Amino acid sequence: MKTTADSKKTEKTAKCADNGMVTPANVFFTNQVAQTIDETVEKIAPSGVFVVVDVNTASFVLPRLQSESKAVAGAKVIMTKAGDMFKNLDTVASIWKQLGDGGCTRRSVVINVGGGVVTDMGAFAAATFKRGVTYINVPTTLLGAVDASVGGKTGVNFNSLKNEVGLFSEAELVIVSTTFFRTLTSQELLSGYAEMLKHGFISSKEMTDRLLAYDVTNYDPDRLLELIRESVAVKSKFVACDRTDLGVRRALNFGHTVAHAFEALALERKSPLSHGYAVAFGMVAALVLSHMKFDFPSDELHRYAAYVSEHYGAFDITCDDYKRLIGFMHHDKKNSTATEISCTLLRDYGDVALNIPVSDTDMTAALDIYRDLLHIG
Amino acid sequence: MKTTADSKKTEKTAKCADNGMVTPANVFFTNQVAQTIDETVEKIAPSGVFVVVDVNTASFVLPRLQSESKAVAGAKVIMTKAGDMFKNLDTVASIWKQLGDGGCTRRSVVINVGGGVVTDMGAFAAATFKRGVTYINVPTTLLGAVDASVGGKTGVNFNSLKNEVGLFSEAELVIVSTTFFRTLTSQELLSGYAEMLKHGFISSKEMTDRLLAYDVTNYDPDRLLELIRESVAVKSKFVACDRTDLGVRRALNFGHTVAHAFEALALERKSPLSHGYAVAFGMVAALVLSHMKFDFPSDELHRYAAYVSEHYGAFDITCDDYKRLIGFMHHDKKNSTATEISCTLLRDYGDVALNIPVSDTDMTAALDIYRDLLHIG
């Protein structure tokens, strides 16, 4: 059990050697996806190729890859149902079964083509089949490109808990591209963009300025790819310092304590909130707390809140929801040792304060101000 | 597809820097098990302790550990059914469920107490729960101590295939001890001892001499622990050179091509053969082939065959079984790229020849001589 004093002892700054704009060696940014797949597969010279897709990427992405990539054209296709509710052990077992029946060996290659659900689950299946088959991830959503492409987190939901079963494992290659985004809705683009904004906040004012000035719903494929590359570089900097998610990597949790509570409440209301939108809203609350505790500039907070209000709207809460929301925050899995809510906050752009204890009173005040800023009831 | 010429190209000697009698840093040899567990758990200072056992170790081992170890006494117990047929995904799911319901976090510790089935499966469950919980393995059988303690192989059977799902993962600590062997039968001791004999063959004549002169069924706990340590050092030398089982680690496969075929045939006859016995018999055939192809000393082959005949008896086959046995050998998973049977053989003690193609004719001759040497029909 942790006391407030204990929590204070663990408060620290996310210090991490600045590596400039360096992205991991296994993440490749290109809009020549088919060619990159073929070159990589040729280099690996596998005994067989398998492609894991869900019903969406099977319709919208696979046909084009099959016509453009020799490796994909010759691959056995493993199709899964779409959506987080099928990110479970049954689906993984079905992937394992199809890998086995299709003659997959340790010298085969698995290519996961889809959003975060497909890449997380396909990677887990490959990494645990015959104690590890080489795999390539091809994220097809902005959220997947910017979030699931780095850090080696694989897994599935289990026992009603998100990503309860999984492991840290690195893909042979992650091919990040914007060519598949044409079929995404504005909401899907904005959802992914929220994580990019988060990378801006924990990195620098300049990066945040660039992102807030850019209209992702009307993107240019090559310019957006550049912004994604910059974003991935920020994420990989924090991940590289802390591969198992116990220390400075928590900088990436900025905005997520409140975001997770919003998602949980939305789920109870039976109108789920997308993760990216929840993060966009959660960061408003996190900036409020950052201002309260560390004097994060008030005008910057207001600028961001106006941006969110314009592009994302708001997640509607009343003061009657506070108790439930704060209850969720106490059970956030990233705070498993704390009896107090623990947040990642900002002293300023790029100056991240980790494990900051937040009292229920302070959180209540922050939620009040969140509602004011986003013009809620 | 591999041709004979290809197979020959891959023939090589298991060369591996000799590290003397060095065992891995995470394997601890002691007959003070409870004390070692408590010291280790105290150092880790986990948020909770879980013990995975099967019904056998729950009866024969757990009560003593609970009375002697503070950590085990305070641990939540997760019990599984005993035997290879329960080494499956359902059992792993039940372990995950109990870990989750018991409040296991990433800062908890899982202690797997049992034979190879329990340690392989418990390690897999821990390594994939919340992307990795620290675990300690306490093998309670000689086979587990000498075979499952090194190499980080974890996994479960799936789709009727052994260890089809799993991963390479290292325990925080493996506690190797002979104190739990009192409840083992002579057959169980001899079964484990066969793998120790194998480590002798691939290491040196001196080590093999020591092992053939020792009566494992009438062991002294401390002397046997020393012999196990020597054996584990041999295994770890080969594993350290080759963590993912594609190259020189195949030295550890000595005797196993024929052994796996014997096990498969025994299973078809509905009278399963224990793995260790199969290896003891398989090494007779492997030494015959080693003599045929590399002039391995004939008198040494005869000495070992006499030892096996005296202590292990024989696995009974007739010439009518050859076709089926050779069929199994062609489908051995370690030979997935070969159209010819591929064996690990010996030029001499400690001089291992890998990936040696063996024609069906040569294998038939070897099985004939195996029958002669073990006085079968």
Side-chain angles (χ1 to χ4, degrees), chain A residues 47 89 92-94 96-97 100-101 105-107 120 124 127-132 152-155 158-159 161 163-168 244-246 250 333-334 336-337, chain B residues 89 92-94 96-97 100-101 105-107 120 124 127-132 152-155 158-159 161 163-168 244-246 250 333-334 336-337:
Chain A
S47 71
L89 218 51
V92 169
S94 148
W96 283 329
K97 180 83 166 58
D101 293 348
T105 74
R106 278 194 209 155
R107 295 169 193 272
D120 281 11
F124 177 66
T128 53
F129 188 74
K130 291 183 190 285
R131 300 201 186 98
K153 288 190 175 180
T154 76
F158 179 78
N159 200 18
L161 291 162
N163 301 316
E164 183 81 338
V165 167
L167 58 104
F168 288 98
T244 51
D245 206 9
L246 295 170
R250 289 202 177 174
K333 75 171 168 180
K334 297 274 165 84
S336 52
T337 60
Chain B
L89 218 50
V92 169
S94 148
W96 283 328
K97 179 82 166 58
D101 292 348
T105 73
R106 279 195 207 154
R107 294 169 193 275
D120 281 11
F124 177 65
T128 53
F129 187 74
K130 290 183 191 284
R131 300 203 186 95
K153 287 190 176 181
T154 76
F158 178 79
N159 200 18
L161 290 162
N163 301 317
E164 181 82 338
V165 167
L167 58 106
F168 288 98
T244 51
D245 206 9
L246 295 169
R250 290 201 176 173
K333 75 172 168 180
K334 297 273 166 85
S336 51
T337 60

Coordinates of all heavy atoms in Angstrom, one line a residue, chain A residues 47 89 92-94 96-97 100-101 105-107 120 124 127-132 152-155 158-159 161 163-168 244-246 250 333-334 336-337, chain B residues 89 92-94 96-97 100-101 105-107 120 124 127-132 152-155 158-159 161 163-168 244-246 250 333-334 336-337:
Chain A
S47 N 9.9 -19.9 -45.8 CA 9.3 -21.1 -46.4 C 7.9 -21.0 -46.8 O 7.3 -21.8 -47.4 CB 9.5 -22.2 -45.3 OG 8.6 -22.0 -44.3
L89 N -8.9 -14.6 -27.3 CA -8.2 -15.8 -27.4 C -8.8 -16.8 -28.5 O -8.0 -17.5 -29.1 CB -8.3 -16.5 -26.0 CG -7.0 -17.3 -25.6 CD1 -5.8 -16.4 -25.7 CD2 -7.2 -17.8 -24.2
V92 N -7.3 -15.7 -31.7 CA -5.9 -16.1 -31.8 C -5.8 -17.6 -32.0 O -5.0 -18.0 -32.8 CB -5.2 -15.7 -30.5 CG1 -3.8 -16.4 -30.4 CG2 -5.0 -14.2 -30.4
A93 N -6.6 -18.4 -31.4 CA -6.6 -19.8 -31.6 C -6.9 -20.2 -33.0 O -6.3 -21.1 -33.6 CB -7.6 -20.5 -30.6
S94 N -7.8 -19.4 -33.6 CA -8.2 -19.6 -35.0 C -7.0 -19.3 -35.9 O -6.8 -19.9 -36.9 CB -9.5 -18.8 -35.3 OG -9.4 -18.4 -36.6
W96 N -3.8 -19.4 -35.0 CA -2.8 -20.5 -34.8 C -3.2 -21.7 -35.6 O -2.3 -22.3 -36.2 CB -2.7 -20.9 -33.3 CG -2.0 -20.0 -32.4 CD1 -0.9 -19.2 -32.7 CD2 -2.2 -19.7 -31.0 NE1 -0.4 -18.5 -31.6 CE2 -1.2 -18.8 -30.6 CE3 -3.2 -20.2 -30.1 CZ2 -1.2 -18.3 -29.2 CZ3 -3.1 -19.7 -28.8 CH2 -2.1 -18.8 -28.4
K97 N -4.5 -22.1 -35.6 CA -5.0 -23.2 -36.3 C -4.7 -23.1 -37.8 O -4.2 -24.0 -38.4 CB -6.5 -23.4 -36.0 CG -7.1 -24.6 -36.7 CD -7.0 -25.8 -35.8 CE -7.9 -27.0 -36.3 NZ -7.7 -27.4 -37.7
G100 N -1.0 -23.4 -38.5 CA -0.6 -24.8 -38.5 C -1.1 -25.6 -39.7 O -0.3 -26.3 -40.4
D101 N -2.4 -25.5 -40.0 CA -2.9 -26.2 -41.1 C -2.3 -25.8 -42.4 O -2.3 -26.6 -43.4 CB -4.5 -26.1 -41.1 CG -5.1 -26.8 -39.9 OD1 -4.4 -27.5 -39.2 OD2 -6.3 -26.5 -39.6
T105 N 5.9 -22.7 -40.7 CA 7.1 -23.2 -39.9 C 7.8 -22.0 -39.3 O 7.4 -20.8 -39.6 CB 8.1 -23.9 -40.8 OG1 8.8 -23.0 -41.6 CG2 7.4 -25.0 -41.7
R106 N 8.8 -22.2 -38.5 CA 9.6 -21.1 -37.9 C 10.3 -20.3 -39.0 O 10.7 -19.2 -38.7 CB 10.6 -21.7 -37.0 CG 10.1 -22.0 -35.7 CD 11.3 -22.2 -34.7 NE 10.9 -23.2 -33.7 CZ 11.7 -23.9 -33.0 NH1 13.0 -23.9 -33.3 NH2 11.3 -24.7 -32.1
R107 N 10.3 -20.8 -40.2 CA 11.0 -20.0 -41.3 C 10.0 -19.4 -42.2 O 10.3 -18.9 -43.3 CB 11.9 -21.0 -42.1 CG 13.1 -21.5 -41.3 CD 13.8 -22.7 -42.1 NE 14.7 -23.4 -41.2 CZ 16.0 -23.0 -41.0 NH1 16.4 -22.0 -41.6 NH2 16.7 -23.8 -40.2
D120 N -1.9 -6.0 -33.3 CA -1.6 -6.5 -31.9 C -1.8 -8.0 -31.8 O -1.0 -8.7 -31.2 CB -2.6 -5.9 -30.9 CG -2.2 -4.5 -30.5 OD1 -1.3 -3.9 -31.1 OD2 -2.8 -3.9 -29.5
F124 N 0.9 -11.1 -31.8 CA 0.9 -12.1 -30.6 C 0.8 -13.5 -31.1 O 1.6 -14.4 -30.7 CB -0.3 -11.8 -29.7 CG -0.4 -12.7 -28.5 CD1 0.6 -12.8 -27.6 CD2 -1.4 -13.6 -28.4 CE1 0.6 -13.7 -26.5 CE2 -1.5 -14.5 -27.4 CZ -0.5 -14.6 -26.4
A127 N 4.2 -14.4 -32.7 CA 5.3 -14.4 -31.8 C 5.2 -15.7 -30.9 O 6.2 -16.1 -30.3 CB 5.3 -13.2 -30.9
T128 N 4.1 -16.3 -30.8 CA 3.9 -17.4 -29.9 C 3.6 -18.7 -30.7 O 3.4 -19.8 -30.1 CB 2.7 -17.2 -28.9 OG1 1.6 -16.9 -29.7 CG2 3.0 -16.1 -27.9
F129 N 3.7 -18.7 -32.0 CA 3.5 -19.9 -32.8 C 4.8 -20.6 -33.0 O 5.8 -19.9 -33.5 CB 2.8 -19.6 -34.2 CG 2.4 -20.8 -34.9 CD1 1.3 -21.5 -34.5 CD2 3.2 -21.2 -36.0 CE1 1.0 -22.7 -35.2 CE2 2.8 -22.4 -36.7 CZ 1.7 -23.1 -36.3
K130 N 4.9 -21.8 -32.6 CA 6.2 -22.6 -32.6 C 7.3 -21.8 -32.0 O 8.5 -21.8 -32.4 CB 6.5 -22.9 -34.1 CG 5.6 -24.0 -34.7 CD 6.1 -24.3 -36.1 CE 5.0 -25.2 -36.8 NZ 5.0 -26.6 -36.4
R131 N 7.0 -21.0 -30.9 CA 7.9 -20.2 -30.2 C 8.5 -19.1 -31.0 O 9.6 -18.6 -30.8 CB 9.1 -21.0 -29.6 CG 8.6 -22.1 -28.6 CD 9.7 -22.6 -27.7 NE 9.2 -23.7 -26.9 CZ 9.4 -24.9 -27.2 NH1 10.1 -25.3 -28.2 NH2 8.9 -25.9 -26.4
G132 N 7.7 -18.6 -32.0 CA 8.2 -17.4 -32.7 C 8.4 -17.5 -34.2 O 9.4 -18.0 -34.6
G152 N 6.5 -2.6 -29.5 CA 6.4 -4.1 -29.4 C 5.3 -4.6 -28.5 O 5.4 -5.7 -28.0
K153 N 4.3 -3.8 -28.2 CA 3.2 -4.3 -27.4 C 2.3 -5.2 -28.3 O 1.7 -4.7 -29.3 CB 2.4 -3.2 -26.8 CG 3.1 -2.5 -25.7 CD 2.1 -1.5 -25.0 CE 2.8 -0.9 -23.8 NZ 1.9 0.1 -23.1
T154 N 2.1 -6.5 -27.9 CA 1.2 -7.3 -28.6 C 0.2 -7.9 -27.6 O 0.5 -7.9 -26.4 CB 1.9 -8.5 -29.3 OG1 2.2 -9.5 -28.3 CG2 3.2 -8.1 -30.0
G155 N -0.9 -8.4 -28.1 CA -1.8 -9.0 -27.1 C -3.3 -9.0 -27.5 O -3.7 -8.5 -28.5
F158 N -8.8 -10.4 -22.4 CA -9.0 -11.6 -21.7 C -9.7 -11.3 -20.4 O -9.4 -10.4 -19.7 CB -7.7 -12.4 -21.5 CG -7.9 -13.7 -20.7 CD1 -8.3 -14.8 -21.4 CD2 -7.6 -13.8 -19.4 CE1 -8.5 -16.0 -20.7 CE2 -7.8 -15.0 -18.7 CZ -8.2 -16.1 -19.4
N159 N -10.7 -12.1 -20.1 CA -11.4 -12.0 -18.8 C -11.9 -10.5 -18.7 O -11.8 -9.9 -17.6 CB -10.4 -12.3 -17.7 CG -11.0 -12.6 -16.4 OD1 -12.2 -13.0 -16.3 ND2 -10.3 -12.5 -15.3
L161 N -10.7 -7.8 -19.7 CA -9.7 -6.8 -19.5 C -8.9 -6.6 -20.8 O -8.6 -7.6 -21.5 CB -8.8 -7.2 -18.4 CG -9.5 -7.1 -17.0 CD1 -8.7 -7.9 -16.0 CD2 -9.6 -5.7 -16.5
N163 N -6.0 -6.2 -23.3 CA -4.6 -6.6 -23.5 C -4.1 -7.3 -22.2 O -3.0 -7.2 -21.9 CB -3.8 -5.4 -23.8 CG -4.2 -4.7 -25.1 OD1 -4.5 -5.4 -26.0 ND2 -4.3 -3.4 -25.0
E164 N -5.0 -8.1 -21.6 CA -4.6 -8.8 -20.4 C -3.5 -9.9 -20.7 O -2.7 -10.3 -19.9 CB -5.8 -9.5 -19.8 CG -5.6 -10.2 -18.5 CD -5.6 -9.3 -17.2 OE1 -5.3 -8.1 -17.4 OE2 -5.8 -9.8 -16.1
V165 N -3.6 -10.5 -21.9 CA -2.7 -11.5 -22.3 C -1.9 -11.0 -23.5 O -2.4 -10.5 -24.5 CB -3.4 -12.8 -22.7 CG1 -2.5 -13.8 -23.4 CG2 -4.0 -13.4 -21.5
G166 N -0.6 -11.1 -23.4 CA 0.3 -10.6 -24.5 C 1.7 -10.6 -24.2 O 2.1 -11.2 -23.1
L167 N 2.5 -10.0 -25.0 CA 4.0 -10.0 -24.7 C 4.6 -8.8 -25.4 O 4.0 -8.3 -26.4 CB 4.7 -11.3 -25.0 CG 4.6 -11.8 -26.4 CD1 6.0 -11.6 -27.1 CD2 4.3 -13.3 -26.3
F168 N 5.8 -8.4 -25.0 CA 6.6 -7.5 -25.8 C 7.4 -8.2 -26.8 O 8.1 -9.1 -26.5 CB 7.6 -6.7 -24.8 CG 6.9 -5.8 -23.9 CD1 6.6 -6.1 -22.6 CD2 6.5 -4.5 -24.4 CE1 5.9 -5.2 -21.7 CE2 5.9 -3.6 -23.5 CZ 5.6 -4.0 -22.2
T244 N 9.9 -1.9 -20.8 CA 8.8 -2.6 -20.2 C 7.8 -1.8 -19.4 O 7.0 -2.3 -18.6 CB 9.3 -3.7 -19.2 OG1 10.2 -3.1 -18.3 CG2 10.0 -4.8 -20.0
D245 N 7.7 -0.5 -19.8 CA 6.5 0.3 -19.4 C 6.4 0.6 -17.9 O 5.3 0.7 -17.4 CB 5.3 -0.5 -19.9 CG 4.1 0.5 -20.2 OD1 4.4 1.7 -20.1 OD2 3.0 0.0 -20.4
L246 N 7.5 0.7 -17.2 CA 7.4 0.9 -15.8 C 7.9 2.3 -15.4 O 7.6 2.8 -14.3 CB 8.2 -0.2 -15.0 CG 7.6 -1.6 -15.2 CD1 8.6 -2.6 -14.6 CD2 6.2 -1.7 -14.5
R250 N 6.0 6.2 -19.2 CA 4.7 6.7 -18.7 C 4.4 8.1 -19.2 O 3.3 8.6 -19.1 CB 4.6 6.7 -17.2 CG 4.5 5.3 -16.7 CD 3.9 5.2 -15.3 NE 3.8 3.9 -14.9 CZ 3.4 3.5 -13.7 NH1 3.1 4.4 -12.8 NH2 3.3 2.2 -13.4
K333 N -5.1 0.6 -14.6 CA -4.1 -0.5 -14.4 C -2.7 0.1 -14.3 O -1.8 -0.5 -13.8 CB -4.2 -1.6 -15.4 CG -3.7 -1.2 -16.8 CD -3.6 -2.5 -17.7 CE -3.4 -2.0 -19.1 NZ -3.3 -3.2 -20.1
K334 N -2.5 1.3 -14.8 CA -1.1 1.9 -14.7 C -0.8 2.4 -13.3 O 0.2 2.9 -13.0 CB -1.0 3.1 -15.7 CG -1.2 2.7 -17.2 CD 0.2 2.2 -17.8 CE 0.0 1.5 -19.1 NZ -0.1 2.4 -20.2
S336 N -1.4 0.6 -10.4 CA -1.8 -0.5 -9.6 C -1.2 -0.5 -8.2 O -1.6 -1.2 -7.3 CB -1.3 -1.8 -10.3 OG 0.0 -1.7 -10.7
T337 N -0.1 0.3 -8.0 CA 0.4 0.4 -6.6 C -0.1 1.6 -5.8 O 0.3 1.8 -4.7 CB 2.0 0.4 -6.6 OG1 2.4 1.6 -7.3 CG2 2.5 -0.8 -7.3
Chain B
L89 N -4.2 -25.1 -24.1 CA -4.7 -23.7 -24.0 C -5.8 -23.6 -22.9 O -5.8 -22.5 -22.2 CB -5.3 -23.3 -25.3 CG -5.0 -21.9 -25.8 CD1 -3.5 -21.6 -25.6 CD2 -5.4 -21.7 -27.2
V92 N -4.0 -23.2 -19.7 CA -3.4 -21.9 -19.6 C -4.4 -20.8 -19.3 O -4.2 -19.9 -18.5 CB -2.6 -21.6 -20.9 CG1 -2.1 -20.1 -21.0 CG2 -1.4 -22.5 -21.0
A93 N -5.5 -20.9 -20.0 CA -6.6 -19.9 -19.8 C -7.0 -19.9 -18.4 O -7.3 -18.8 -17.8 CB -7.8 -20.1 -20.8
S94 N -7.1 -21.1 -17.8 CA -7.5 -21.2 -16.4 C -6.5 -20.6 -15.5 O -6.8 -19.9 -14.4 CB -7.8 -22.7 -16.0 OG -7.5 -22.9 -14.7
W96 N -4.4 -18.1 -16.4 CA -4.5 -16.6 -16.6 C -5.7 -16.1 -15.8 O -5.6 -15.1 -15.1 CB -4.8 -16.3 -18.1 CG -3.6 -16.4 -18.9 CD1 -2.3 -16.1 -18.6 CD2 -3.6 -16.7 -20.3 NE1 -1.5 -16.2 -19.7 CE2 -2.2 -16.6 -20.8 CE3 -4.5 -17.1 -21.3 CZ2 -1.9 -16.9 -22.1 CZ3 -4.2 -17.4 -22.6 CH2 -2.8 -17.2 -23.0
K97 N -6.8 -16.8 -15.8 CA -8.0 -16.4 -15.1 C -7.8 -16.3 -13.6 O -8.1 -15.3 -13.0 CB -9.2 -17.4 -15.4 CG -10.5 -17.1 -14.7 CD -11.3 -16.1 -15.5 CE -12.8 -16.0 -15.1 NZ -13.0 -15.7 -13.7
G100 N -5.5 -13.3 -12.8 CA -6.3 -12.1 -12.9 C -7.2 -11.9 -11.7 O -7.2 -10.9 -11.0
D101 N -8.0 -13.0 -11.4 CA -8.9 -12.9 -10.3 C -8.2 -12.8 -8.9 O -8.7 -12.2 -8.0 CB -9.8 -14.1 -10.3 CG -10.8 -14.1 -11.5 OD1 -10.8 -13.1 -12.2 OD2 -11.4 -15.2 -11.7
T105 N -0.4 -8.7 -10.6 CA 0.1 -7.5 -11.4 C 1.4 -7.8 -12.0 O 2.0 -8.9 -11.8 CB 0.2 -6.2 -10.6 OG1 1.4 -6.4 -9.8 CG2 -1.0 -6.0 -9.7
R106 N 2.0 -6.9 -12.8 CA 3.3 -7.0 -13.4 C 4.4 -7.1 -12.3 O 5.5 -7.5 -12.6 CB 3.6 -5.9 -14.3 CG 3.0 -6.0 -15.6 CD 3.6 -5.0 -16.6 NE 2.7 -4.7 -17.6 CZ 2.7 -3.6 -18.3 NH1 3.6 -2.6 -18.0 NH2 1.8 -3.3 -19.2
R107 N 4.0 -6.7 -11.1 CA 5.0 -6.7 -10.1 C 4.9 -7.9 -9.1 O 5.5 -8.0 -8.1 CB 4.9 -5.4 -9.2 CG 5.3 -4.2 -10.0 CD 5.0 -2.9 -9.3 NE 5.1 -1.7 -10.1 CZ 6.2 -1.0 -10.4 NH1 7.3 -1.4 -9.8 NH2 6.2 0.0 -11.2
D120 N 6.8 -25.7 -18.1 CA 6.6 -25.2 -19.4 C 5.4 -24.3 -19.5 O 5.4 -23.2 -20.1 CB 6.5 -26.3 -20.5 CG 7.8 -26.9 -20.9 OD1 8.8 -26.7 -20.2 OD2 7.8 -27.7 -21.8
F124 N 4.9 -20.2 -19.6 CA 4.2 -19.6 -20.7 C 3.1 -18.6 -20.2 O 3.0 -17.5 -20.7 CB 3.6 -20.6 -21.6 CG 2.9 -20.0 -22.8 CD1 3.5 -19.3 -23.8 CD2 1.5 -20.2 -22.9 CE1 2.8 -18.7 -24.8 CE2 0.8 -19.7 -24.0 CZ 1.4 -18.9 -24.9
A127 N 4.7 -15.5 -18.6 CA 5.4 -14.7 -19.6 C 4.4 -13.9 -20.5 O 4.8 -12.9 -21.1 CB 6.4 -15.5 -20.4
T128 N 3.2 -14.4 -20.6 CA 2.2 -13.7 -21.4 C 1.1 -13.0 -20.7 O 0.2 -12.5 -21.3 CB 1.6 -14.8 -22.4 OG1 1.1 -15.8 -21.7 CG2 2.6 -15.2 -23.4
F129 N 1.2 -13.1 -19.3 CA 0.1 -12.4 -18.5 C 0.5 -10.9 -18.3 O 1.6 -10.6 -17.9 CB -0.1 -13.1 -17.2 CG -1.2 -12.5 -16.4 CD1 -2.5 -12.8 -16.8 CD2 -1.1 -11.7 -15.4 CE1 -3.6 -12.3 -16.1 CE2 -2.1 -11.2 -14.7 CZ -3.4 -11.5 -15.1
K130 N -0.3 -10.0 -18.8 CA 0.0 -8.6 -18.7 C 1.3 -8.3 -19.4 O 2.1 -7.4 -18.9 CB 0.0 -8.1 -17.3 CG -1.4 -8.0 -16.7 CD -1.4 -7.5 -15.3 CE -2.7 -7.7 -14.5 NZ -3.8 -6.8 -15.0
R131 N 1.7 -9.0 -20.4 CA 2.9 -8.9 -21.1 C 4.1 -9.2 -20.3 O 5.2 -8.7 -20.6 CB 3.1 -7.5 -21.7 CG 1.9 -7.1 -22.7 CD 2.3 -6.0 -23.7 NE 1.2 -5.6 -24.5 CZ 0.4 -4.6 -24.2 NH1 0.7 -3.8 -23.1 NH2 -0.6 -4.3 -24.9
G132 N 4.0 -10.1 -19.3 CA 5.1 -10.6 -18.7 C 5.2 -10.4 -17.2 O 5.5 -9.3 -16.7
G152 N 14.9 -21.8 -21.8 CA 13.8 -20.8 -21.9 C 12.7 -21.3 -22.8 O 11.9 -20.5 -23.3
K153 N 12.6 -22.6 -23.0 CA 11.5 -23.0 -23.9 C 10.2 -23.1 -23.0 O 10.2 -23.8 -22.0 CB 11.8 -24.4 -24.5 CG 12.8 -24.4 -25.6 CD 12.9 -25.7 -26.3 CE 13.8 -25.7 -27.5 NZ 13.9 -27.0 -28.2
T154 N 9.2 -22.4 -23.4 CA 7.9 -22.5 -22.7 C 6.9 -22.8 -23.7 O 7.1 -22.6 -24.9 CB 7.5 -21.2 -22.0 OG1 7.0 -20.3 -23.1 CG2 8.7 -20.5 -21.3
G155 N 5.7 -23.4 -23.3 CA 4.7 -23.6 -24.3 C 3.7 -24.7 -23.9 O 3.8 -25.3 -22.8
F158 N -1.0 -27.8 -28.9 CA -2.1 -27.2 -29.6 C -2.3 -27.9 -30.9 O -1.4 -28.3 -31.6 CB -1.8 -25.7 -29.9 CG -2.9 -24.9 -30.6 CD1 -4.0 -24.5 -29.9 CD2 -2.8 -24.7 -32.0 CE1 -5.0 -23.8 -30.6 CE2 -3.7 -24.0 -32.7 CZ -4.9 -23.6 -32.0
N159 N -3.6 -28.1 -31.3 CA -3.9 -28.7 -32.5 C -3.3 -30.1 -32.7 O -2.7 -30.4 -33.8 CB -3.5 -27.7 -33.7 CG -4.2 -28.0 -35.0 OD1 -5.2 -28.7 -35.0 ND2 -3.6 -27.5 -36.1
L161 N -0.4 -31.0 -31.6 CA 1.0 -30.9 -31.8 C 1.7 -30.5 -30.5 O 1.2 -29.6 -29.9 CB 1.3 -30.0 -33.0 CG 0.9 -30.5 -34.4 CD1 0.9 -29.4 -35.4 CD2 1.9 -31.6 -34.8
N163 N 3.9 -28.6 -28.0 CA 4.6 -27.3 -27.9 C 4.4 -26.4 -29.1 O 5.3 -25.7 -29.5 CB 6.0 -27.5 -27.5 CG 6.2 -28.3 -26.3 OD1 5.5 -28.0 -25.3 ND2 7.2 -29.2 -26.3
E164 N 3.2 -26.5 -29.7 CA 3.0 -25.8 -31.0 C 2.8 -24.3 -30.6 O 3.1 -23.4 -31.5 CB 1.6 -26.3 -31.6 CG 1.2 -25.6 -32.9 CD 1.9 -26.2 -34.1 OE1 3.0 -26.8 -34.0 OE2 1.4 -26.0 -35.2
V165 N 2.4 -24.0 -29.4 CA 2.2 -22.6 -29.0 C 3.2 -22.3 -27.8 O 3.1 -23.1 -26.9 CB 0.8 -22.2 -28.6 CG1 0.7 -20.9 -27.9 CG2 -0.1 -22.3 -29.9
G166 N 4.0 -21.3 -27.9 CA 4.9 -21.0 -26.8 C 5.8 -19.9 -27.2 O 5.7 -19.3 -28.2
L167 N 6.8 -19.7 -26.3 CA 7.8 -18.7 -26.7 C 9.1 -19.0 -25.9 O 9.1 -19.8 -25.0 CB 7.3 -17.3 -26.4 CG 6.9 -17.0 -25.0 CD1 7.9 -16.1 -24.3 CD2 5.6 -16.2 -25.0
F168 N 10.2 -18.4 -26.3 CA 11.4 -18.4 -25.6 C 11.4 -17.3 -24.5 O 11.3 -16.2 -24.8 CB 12.6 -18.2 -26.5 CG 12.9 -19.4 -27.4 CD1 12.5 -19.3 -28.7 CD2 13.6 -20.5 -26.9 CE1 12.7 -20.4 -29.6 CE2 13.8 -21.6 -27.8 CZ 13.4 -21.5 -29.1
T244 N 17.8 -19.8 -30.6 CA 16.5 -20.0 -31.2 C 16.4 -21.4 -31.9 O 15.6 -21.6 -32.8 CB 16.1 -18.9 -32.1 OG1 17.2 -18.7 -33.0 CG2 15.7 -17.7 -31.4
D245 N 17.4 -22.3 -31.5 CA 17.2 -23.7 -31.9 C 17.3 -24.0 -33.4 O 16.7 -24.9 -33.9 CB 15.8 -24.1 -31.4 CG 15.7 -25.6 -31.2 OD1 16.8 -26.3 -31.2 OD2 14.6 -26.1 -31.0
L246 N 18.1 -23.2 -34.1 CA 18.2 -23.5 -35.5 C 19.6 -24.0 -35.9 O 19.8 -24.6 -37.0 CB 18.0 -22.2 -36.3 CG 16.6 -21.6 -36.2 CD1 16.5 -20.2 -36.7 CD2 15.6 -22.6 -36.8
R250 N 21.1 -28.1 -32.1 CA 20.7 -29.4 -32.5 C 21.5 -30.5 -32.0 O 21.1 -31.7 -32.1 CB 20.6 -29.4 -34.0 CG 19.5 -28.6 -34.5 CD 19.1 -29.0 -35.9 NE 17.9 -28.2 -36.3 CZ 17.4 -28.2 -37.5 NH1 17.9 -29.0 -38.4 NH2 16.4 -27.4 -37.8
K333 N 9.5 -32.5 -36.7 CA 9.5 -31.1 -36.9 C 10.8 -30.4 -37.0 O 11.0 -29.3 -37.5 CB 8.6 -30.4 -35.9 CG 9.2 -30.2 -34.5 CD 8.3 -29.3 -33.6 CE 8.8 -29.4 -32.1 NZ 8.0 -28.7 -31.2
K334 N 11.8 -31.0 -36.5 CA 13.2 -30.5 -36.6 C 13.8 -30.6 -38.0 O 14.8 -30.1 -38.3 CB 14.1 -31.2 -35.6 CG 13.7 -31.0 -34.1 CD 14.3 -29.7 -33.5 CE 13.7 -29.4 -32.2 NZ 14.2 -30.0 -31.0
S336 N 12.0 -29.8 -40.8 CA 10.9 -29.3 -41.7 C 11.4 -28.9 -43.1 O 10.5 -28.8 -44.0 CB 10.2 -28.1 -41.0 OG 11.2 -27.2 -40.6
T337 N 12.7 -28.7 -43.3 CA 13.0 -28.3 -44.7 C 13.6 -29.5 -45.4 O 14.0 -29.3 -46.6 CB 14.1 -27.2 -44.6 OG1 15.2 -27.6 -43.9 CG2 13.5 -25.9 -44.0

